[in-house]
Amino acid sequence: MVSRWWEERSAPQRFDLYTRGTLYSMLAAEPLVALLIASSSEDLGSAAEIAVFVALAAAHAGIGVVVLRGGLAWYLGRGAWPFRWTVALLAVTVCAAAAAVAAFGWAAPPEPGVVSGAVATQFAVIMLSGFTVGALAPRLDSPRLTLLALLFGTVIAGIGYVSDWPRPSALGTGFAAVFAYLGGWSAFRASVWMLGIVWELDRSRQVQADLAVAEERLRFARDLHDILGRNLSVIAVKSELAAALSRRGRDEAGDEMMAVRDIAQESLREVREVVRGYREVDLTTELAGARSVLRSAGVATRVVGEVSALPPDVQAVLGWVAREGTTNVLRHSSASTCVITVARSDGGVTLTMENDGARESSGGSGSGSGLSGLAERLSELGGSLTAGRIGGDRFRLSAQVPSEVAS
């Protein structure tokens, strides 16, 4: 069940789920890190103080997940930034740091090699700063980020200076805080940045496919305008002339109306030729168009086989197969590769389109009006159509025309 649900996701959706799961898991590990910090210290406070610190760390992690989730939606343009939860996150960060100081203390560290309560407090502050910045990573893209990190480290080091800490320990704590600040930001920000790029590429791919369809529609509209625009203008002028002549009782009115009829019939003939040319499908042209459209959508496409020797009716029906197959690849898969093969044999000619990235909803030969229409076209020539998954995420569309028609 889980495998089928996963296969139904597109590649961007899978990457989104993987990225979110990784980031949320990193934040969810914060209570475990808090427990490790507490267990590694030799100078523990009361059990109640430790419990408060761990509980606040857990609350900090939960709120961090909420903030990160809202931040990702904001970064991808799907929602507003969660300001209230951000305030709550910062408030819990301060409370958890105070709880760490209360539980472990802030006295000068003892001799090297002993993990005192003060060292545990250092680790706790560094942990909280790193996870906080990680949760806020979608928003923190300002060039002032480094200055904020340095300011944060300076404050931590300053607290150590005014206490009875040795200077090396105070400087080390400040440096570690800066490292946690920048490290937490870079680890989360890189994933957020990649997620945005993946979704932007997916949108670009869909736009490219839509542009290819729009370009074909514009071409057809331009042809109709070129044919009908001039002829309709002539019809309008001659109709006005015929009406004026008719009101004067002139015999030339009839001649003008006959000319209008001739122009209208000529326009109808030209329109039919345009539509016929649009409907007539040439396999070579369709394969070149399919390769161009798929490549523009980011699908590595390869065409194998020779089609020039095929009869016109066979080229037409296989051209429709290539056109519909291309549409299916764009709409119903997240393909990265597609191979189109035209093969001749004693049994006839076969056109096969095979792509990866097929989703469970892609269906088989019996789904969708497009494939049903192709099967009907092929049946008129005695051919057949098969379509379906062939293992994993691969999908194959195959059309065959018998040898007596293809010869």
Side-chain angles (χ1 to χ4, degrees):
M1 190 67 180
V2 176
S3 176
R4 180 178 179 181
W5 173 84
W6 178 257
E7 290 179 356
E8 290 178 351
R9 307 299 99 185
S10 65
Q13 289 174 332
R14 293 178 184 180
F15 185 81
D16 187 289
L17 290 171
Y18 172 79
T19 302
R20 290 174 183 270
T22 302
L23 297 180
Y24 296 162
S25 299
M26 293 171 64
L27 290 177
E30 185 175 357
L32 297 178
V33 178
L35 286 173
L36 289 176
I37 292 174
S39 62
S40 64
S41 175
E42 297 183 2
D43 297 331
L44 292 177
S46 65
E49 292 174 336
I50 299 298
V52 169
F53 168 67
V54 174
L56 286 173
H60 187 264
I63 298 175
V65 170
V66 175
V67 171
L68 181 59
R69 182 174 181 272
L72 289 174
W74 172 84
Y75 186 82
L76 297 175
R78 302 173 183 173
W81 180 266
F83 288 103
R84 294 182 179 179
W85 285 107
T86 301
V87 173
L89 177 68
L90 296 177
V92 174
T93 302
V94 174
C95 293
V101 173
F104 308 122
W106 192 260
E111 298 178 359
V114 179
V115 181
S116 67
V119 176
T121 303
Q122 294 180 47
F123 290 156
V125 172
I126 293 171
M127 174 200 73
L128 291 169
S129 62
F131 282 112
T132 299
V133 174
L136 299 175
R139 188 88 184 190
L140 296 178
D141 58 348
S142 170
R144 294 170 293 181
L145 177 69
T146 303
L147 295 177
L148 293 175
L150 294 175
L151 178 61
F152 176 72
T154 302
V155 171
I156 297 299
I159 295 175
Y161 266 108
V162 299
S163 303
D164 54 351
W165 282 48
R167 289 191 174 184
S169 297
L171 290 174
T173 303
F175 176 78
V178 173
F179 179 80
Y181 194 105
L182 296 179
W185 177 84
S186 61
F188 281 79
R189 182 70 184 185
S191 298
V192 173
W193 177 66
M194 287 189 294
L195 183 61
I197 290 178
V198 167
W199 280 115
E200 183 63 28
L201 290 175
D202 184 66
R203 286 192 294 268
S204 299
R205 175 180 174 176
Q206 184 60 45
V207 168
Q208 288 173 336
D210 293 340
L211 286 176
V213 176
E215 183 179 357
E216 179 62 20
R217 290 177 177 174
L218 287 175
R219 184 193 68 81
F220 185 67
R222 184 173 60 251
D223 291 344
L224 285 180
H225 177 269
D226 293 342
I227 291 173
L228 293 180
R230 173 180 56 84
N231 291 346
L232 289 176
S233 297
V234 175
I235 288 174
V237 172
K238 284 188 171 293
S239 298
E240 292 177 357
L241 177 59
L245 292 174
S246 177
R247 285 193 294 268
R248 297 175 184 177
R250 302 281 295 273
D251 295 336
E252 292 89 340
D255 295 335
E256 293 297 333
M257 290 307 300
M258 293 301 294
V260 169
R261 185 201 64 179
D262 294 339
I263 296 173
Q265 290 178 344
E266 178 65 16
S267 300
L268 180 60
R269 182 187 64 80
E270 291 179 350
V271 169
R272 286 174 176 172
E273 288 181 356
V274 171
V275 174
R276 186 182 303 112
Y278 182 75
R279 290 180 175 176
E280 287 179 354
V281 179
D282 177 71
L283 181 56
T284 303
T285 303
E286 289 299 327
L287 291 178
R291 179 168 50 191
S292 176
V293 170
L294 290 175
R295 284 181 175 177
S296 68
V299 183
T301 306
R302 186 162 57 96
V303 178
V304 181
E306 180 63 35
V307 302
S308 59
L310 296 175
D313 53 348
V314 175
Q315 290 206 33
V317 71
L318 294 182
W320 277 106
V321 174
R323 180 181 293 184
E324 181 65 25
T326 301
T327 302
N328 286 342
V329 172
L330 293 173
R331 292 183 177 177
H332 305 303
S333 76
S334 54
S336 59
T337 61
C338 179
V339 179
I340 306 175
T341 305
V342 181
R344 302 198 65 167
S345 62
D346 295 338
V349 59
T350 303
L351 185 144
T352 304
M353 294 186 66
E354 184 174 326
N355 63 275
D356 61 356
R359 297 193 283 269
E360 190 69 25
S361 58
S362 297
S365 59
S367 64
S369 58
L371 296 183
S372 300
L374 289 180
E376 294 175 0
R377 289 176 181 270
L378 286 165
S379 64
E380 294 176 358
L381 299 179
S384 60
L385 179 75
T386 58
R389 298 168 69 90
I390 57 173
D393 65 343
R394 302 197 65 81
F395 187 86
R396 177 184 294 167
L397 175 67
S398 180
Q400 184 177 20
V401 179
S403 56
E404 57 269 17
V405 179
S407 58

